[in-house]
Amino acid sequence: MPVPEQLSERELRVLEAVVQTYIETAEPAGSQTIARRFGLGVSPATIRNTMSELEDKGYLFHPHTSAGRIPTDRAYRIYVNKIMRLAPPTNEARETLRSGLSGSRNAVEEIVRRAAQVLGVLTQELGVAVAPALDELVLERLELVSVSSERLLLVFNLRSGVLRTIFVEVPARVSVEAVQEVARVLNERLAGLTLLRIRETIGERLRDAAIPSGETALLNIFVAEREEIFDLSNETGSVVLGSAQMLADQPEFASNSRMRDLLRLTEGHDLLKQALASRRRLGLSITIGSENPDTRLSDFTLVTSSYQAGQLKGVIGVMGPTRMPYDKIIGLVEHTSRMVEGLLE
């Protein structure tokens, strides 16, 4: 979106009044309403002329069925960048977040899921999050446990307190001694490496491992199936959503067609995953309507904040119509991301 030209003080004040009125009412703002509500010290006629000037500059548009004006994406952008005064989360909102996230300290995905849900309730938007990707986490220790004649349980103990388990299929019964010896070799050669590095180098690292010949076949399974065994990305780096009902109750989604569009967005996570994945290192990010690269998000605003605790990185935020109370939502999103960081540390 182009950098907006300089606006006069009066234009900024009128624009602020129109944006705030539309956010609160979802109705086009007229000059009489602005004059009555905001006490700008000028007549309704002057306000009307100023609104016409703002419309000519691309900040407002004029629905055919109304005498009032509605903000454009460009108006919301200058409102966020130049006009808005951030409202810190209220004590009540902070307490709601604290109580909503309490008891979820031990599971990364649970923390992120509950954070998205509570944030959605507080903002009345759709809470969105990206769970941390585990590829860059360091393996501290792994454990192998026989659970049947053809199946082993592999337990990953990863740095940052993350625990994962998967099953490894074996072609025939393996002795307890062989399982223990292979686990020892794997820990000796792989502990201290990231999962990504393990996949890239496991063949080289295990090539000269001195183990009895009967245990070589089991060790070779970990080399041959390294892409499946040591890749936990299918369950992480995924999009987590709060309840879409928060958006469904807003007037923007009163029509059946708009509701279908919303459901398509929330049921198929690929679009949101793509939109959110690039935000891991951006800190606070606000993308308004047509600023979104994908036109399917052109009616939505995404407000997100990245979080990081050690090697765990992700994104938390909300998605909603461009008509949203940015001043309150930005503070809530940033506060929630800091809380998530605190729980993950």
Side-chain angles (χ1 to χ4, degrees):
M1 184 170 291
V3 176
E5 69 268 33
Q6 190 70 27
L7 297 182
S8 69
E9 186 65 24
R10 177 183 295 168
E11 286 174 324
L12 289 172
R13 297 288 73 80
V14 170
L15 184 63
E16 178 182 21
V18 173
V19 170
Q20 289 184 354
T21 299
Y22 188 63
I23 286 173
E24 292 170 12
T25 68
E27 297 290 340
S31 56
Q32 294 284 352
T33 300
I34 298 300
R36 184 173 62 253
R37 290 190 61 197
F38 291 90
L40 299 180
V42 294
S43 67
T46 300
I47 293 173
R48 188 161 50 250
N49 290 337
T50 304
M51 291 169 70
S52 295
E53 294 168 1
L54 289 167
E55 184 173 2
D56 291 341
K57 294 179 178 180
Y59 293 99
L60 303 177
F61 71 93
H62 194 166
H64 295 298
T65 58
S66 170
R69 263 78 165 187
I70 290 175
T72 64
D73 294 346
R74 201 178 187 195
Y76 289 123
R77 173 50 64 193
I78 198 170
Y79 174 75
V80 168
N81 287 2
K82 289 180 172 291
I83 301 173
M84 176 189 71
R85 291 168 292 279
L86 284 175
T90 64
N91 290 335
E92 181 181 3
R94 292 170 187 264
E95 181 55 38
T96 298
L97 280 166
R98 272 195 297 270
S99 60
L101 295 179
S102 63
S104 55
R105 181 177 293 273
N106 293 327
V108 173
E109 291 83 0
E110 178 69 5
I111 291 171
V112 174
R113 183 186 66 80
R114 290 175 70 168
Q117 290 176 341
V118 178
L119 188 55
V121 171
L122 284 173
T123 61
Q124 292 297 292
E125 312 289 353
L126 176 66
V128 298
V130 176
L134 301 187
D135 255 3
E136 295 302 323
L137 284 189
V138 170
L139 175 67
E140 292 191 333
R141 188 180 76 263
L142 57 78
E143 302 167 35
L144 276 177
V145 181
S146 296
V147 293
S148 72
S149 60
E150 297 181 348
R151 178 177 274 195
L152 302 176
L153 178 68
L154 175 58
V155 183
F156 292 92
N157 292 274
L158 303 171
R159 196 162 292 170
S160 300
V162 177
L163 186 73
R164 287 291 178 278
T165 59
I166 65 169
F167 288 108
V168 178
E169 305 296 330
V170 294
R173 179 179 293 276
V174 182
S175 69
V176 173
E177 293 75 17
V179 171
Q180 292 174 345
E181 179 62 16
V182 167
R184 182 192 66 78
V185 171
L186 291 174
N187 278 303
E188 181 182 276
R189 301 297 178 95
L190 305 180
L193 301 173
T194 66
L195 295 180
L196 176 60
R197 188 63 177 157
I198 289 172
R199 294 202 303 276
E200 292 173 341
T201 64
I202 187 172
E204 175 186 338
R205 293 177 185 278
L206 297 182
R207 185 175 297 128
D208 62 345
I211 61 173
S213 58
E215 293 154 17
T216 303
L218 177 56
L219 199 62
N220 286 340
I221 290 175
F222 288 89
V223 177
E225 300 180 13
R226 60 188 179 277
E227 293 297 334
E228 291 76 31
I229 293 175
F230 294 98
D231 184 2
L232 303 178
S233 60
N234 287 338
E235 59 182 72
T236 58
S238 57
V239 173
V240 180
L241 300 180
S243 172
Q245 187 62 39
M246 300 301 166
L247 285 186
D249 292 338
Q250 298 201 29
E252 282 84 352
F253 304 100
S255 72
N256 290 335
S257 62
R258 293 296 301 278
M259 180 56 64
R260 283 195 296 272
D261 291 342
L262 173 62
L263 291 176
R264 275 195 292 269
L265 280 176
T266 56
E267 288 173 357
H269 288 188
D270 288 347
L271 173 58
L272 288 178
K273 184 173 183 177
Q274 182 179 357
L276 294 170
S278 61
R279 297 168 178 245
R280 288 181 188 275
R281 295 179 176 87
L282 293 181
L284 177 68
S285 180
I286 304 165
T287 313
I288 301 171
S290 57
E291 296 174 358
N292 288 294
D294 195 303
T295 57
R296 288 172 291 179
L297 293 173
S298 60
D299 292 328
F300 295 91
T301 286
L302 277 164
V303 179
T304 63
S305 181
S306 57
Y307 62 84
Q308 180 172 354
Q311 294 159 311
L312 294 174
K313 300 176 184 177
V315 176
I316 185 82
V318 299
M319 182 180 81
T322 54
R323 182 192 65 85
M324 64 166 59
Y326 293 91
D327 56 342
K328 299 181 179 66
I329 284 177
I330 291 170
L332 281 167
V333 167
E334 290 195 298
H335 183 72
T336 303
S337 70
R338 303 292 80 78
M339 286 195 70
V340 169
E341 286 180 342
L343 289 169
L344 293 179
E345 288 176 347

